Amino acid sequence: MTQPRFMAQVLNRRSFLATSAAALATPMLSRRAFAAPTELTMLAWYGHAEPDIVAEFEAEHNVKFVPKYYTGGDNMLGLISQSPPGTFDVILSDAEYVQALNAGGFVEELDPEDYALADYFPEFQNFPGNWADGKLFSLVARFGFLGVAYNTDALTEAQAANYNIFWDPKLTGKVGHFDWHLPNLGQMSLLNGNAVPYDIDETAWEAVKEKILTLRPQIGGFFDYGGTFSSLNDGQMLAFAGIGDWITGVLEKNGAKVRSVIPEQGGLQWSECFSIGKGSQKAELAKKWIQYITSAKGQAKSAQMAAYPALIPNQKGWEVLQAENPAEAKRQGMTKDAGNVIDMIRAGRIQYRQWPIQQDLETWNDFWSEYKGA
């Protein structure tokens, strides 16, 4: 055997042993490094599957979210009803639509023991819409208030803190509607003095319709999500009905002179809830996602979502947010100070947005179409 050939055999053997030892030392790392991520489909409002929210979870679980974004509850129901079971692993819906999802057999039952409900404020542990016949079908993950959105150059906070400001002559043609009947008609119901704005008899319903019809000459437009942003940002609209900090908070952070306030007549609460899609083949991963986003860490992240900020129901999430971003915690009212958002709820200043109780949903929707065409 020649010396070069002998040395080559030694080196090859050493290389083989070194490579084998490295592989044996880190088998899971090697497998995960080359394993294709598991795709997890999510049906949600825009922003919930963006990197600022899901990147950490994706890296930890070798998951890749595949989002399908919708622009309203009716659109969401349409997408689900037209899709085979198992199409969506995770579903985000507004609380008032969860019962429709459950009634349609579109979501799986959840085990309350799997989630940190004990960390939630009491008002959210048995949240309306999440439960049916004592069974849990969704978990509220974030919420927010709807009041009067206004341009701070045009109105003071005191002026905006009353729904009657929409009728001010200086706002003629400068009042916008977020194009959805539930929040707008709910606000008119509050203005008319209905303590439970969606549970009104026919006389009160007729009065709501009459009231908002008098507002029609003030209205400069009916806007979708993007249009609401742009019309407030460029000053096209100086006041807005049907929205709140979920839109003005983003604009305010970017320097726009807009803000939202809860009027003296009270405000409405929107609430977003996560469910596991019926027939999901990845229900265990979907459960892990809901556990993550409703944990203290996930909640603080959700409150600061780049797409639109929100309030969070997890008390420990408030503590994480206060430590990580005290300015944002203060801006949104998630501190221990008196008058915080939970105090507002407990004082009765906020009512849940929901489907009408004494009228059909279509009755409200049909009137909204008539109002827009008036």
Side-chain angles (χ1 to χ4, degrees):
M1 180 183 294
T2 63
Q3 188 72 5
R5 184 178 177 187
F6 172 76
M7 290 302 297
Q9 288 179 328
V10 170
L11 290 173
N12 287 339
R13 178 174 173 78
R14 287 176 179 171
S15 299
F16 171 77
L17 291 173
T19 302
S20 299
L24 289 170
T26 57
M28 294 308 296
L29 178 61
S30 298
R31 291 174 192 168
R32 289 191 65 133
F34 294 104
T38 300
E39 290 189 345
L40 204 61
T41 55
M42 180 192 290
L43 182 64
W45 284 93
Y46 175 77
H48 285 269
E50 297 305 297
D52 64 301
I53 299 299
V54 303
E56 182 179 66
F57 182 85
E58 287 182 329
E60 181 178 348
H61 296 279
N62 195 29
V63 165
K64 178 63 179 175
F65 277 98
V66 179
K68 176 65 176 179
Y69 291 133
Y70 61 81
T71 55
D74 295 339
N75 178 226
M76 180 268 299
L77 286 177
L79 287 168
I80 290 180
S81 63
Q82 297 165 19
S83 304
T87 299
F88 303 110
D89 300 307
V90 178
I91 298 170
L92 178 95
S93 67
D94 292 291
E96 57 265 41
Y97 285 87
V98 173
Q99 291 300 324
L101 291 176
N102 181 28
F106 298 127
V107 293
E108 298 282 1
E109 182 182 346
L110 306 180
D111 184 349
E113 297 299 320
D114 289 336
Y115 306 97
L117 280 168
D119 293 343
Y120 274 35
F121 286 100
E123 289 78 3
F124 293 92
Q125 292 180 10
N126 292 286
F127 191 71
N130 286 177
W131 300 79
D133 299 325
K135 297 178 180 180
L136 184 67
F137 289 92
S138 69
L139 204 62
V140 59
R142 59 206 312 260
F143 65 99
F145 298 156
L146 307 173
V148 174
Y150 64 101
N151 183 297
T152 56
D153 280 344
L155 299 172
T156 65
E157 181 175 326
Q159 290 172 324
N162 191 308
Y163 289 118
N164 286 309
I165 192 63
F166 292 141
W167 282 264
D168 192 304
K170 70 181 178 182
L171 296 181
T172 301
K174 294 291 184 179
V175 178
H177 276 303
F178 182 61
D179 192 4
W180 189 11
H181 57 91
L182 283 181
N184 288 282
L185 295 176
Q187 289 184 338
M188 291 300 106
S189 186
L190 285 172
L191 175 58
N192 273 9
N194 297 312
V196 184
Y198 298 97
D199 189 2
I200 55 177
D201 62 21
E202 287 306 306
T203 299
W205 168 235
E206 289 300 320
V208 167
K209 293 194 292 182
E210 290 173 9
K211 183 65 175 179
I212 198 170
L213 282 170
T214 67
L215 182 60
R216 189 64 182 84
Q218 294 288 99
I219 303 303
F222 298 81
F223 300 90
D224 61 9
Y225 179 81
T228 300
F229 265 93
S230 60
S231 61
L232 275 171
N233 187 57
D234 61 19
Q236 179 187 357
M237 296 294 113
L238 300 180
F240 238 94
I243 62 165
D245 189 68
W246 70 282
I247 282 183
T248 57
V250 177
L251 292 169
E252 188 179 1
K253 287 179 184 178
N254 292 328
K257 296 181 177 181
V258 295
R259 196 165 293 168
S260 292
V261 64
I262 301 303
E264 61 188 61
Q265 297 92 347
L268 301 172
Q269 179 180 312
W270 59 266
S271 315
E272 292 178 341
C273 311
F274 272 111
S275 300
I276 298 175
K278 194 75 170 182
S280 170
Q281 299 301 305
K282 301 159 189 171
E284 189 62 29
L285 264 179
K287 181 181 76 174
K288 290 182 182 299
W289 163 251
I290 298 176
Q291 289 172 330
Y292 169 82
I293 202 61
T294 58
S295 70
K297 179 172 65 173
Q299 287 278 275
K301 191 183 296 291
S302 184
Q304 304 172 78
M305 181 189 288
Y308 57 104
L311 306 171
I312 50 176
N314 187 313
Q315 299 182 70
K316 292 184 178 179
W318 279 37
E319 296 172 5
V320 174
L321 181 64
Q322 290 162 12
E324 291 180 351
N325 192 344
E328 182 63 7
K330 182 177 181 180
R331 190 191 73 79
Q332 292 205 59
M334 289 187 282
T335 68
K336 295 179 180 178
D337 298 336
N340 63 40
V341 296
I342 297 298
D343 286 345
M344 291 177 67
I345 292 173
R346 292 172 179 171
R349 294 197 61 208
I350 305 297
Q351 301 297 321
Y352 298 129
R353 191 184 65 201
Q354 58 188 124
W355 282 0
I357 294 173
Q358 298 189 45
Q359 297 82 36
D360 293 332
L361 183 64
E362 285 305 309
T363 298
W364 283 44
N365 194 26
D366 289 345
F367 170 72
W368 184 247
S369 297
E370 295 172 13
Y371 171 68
K372 289 165 62 177

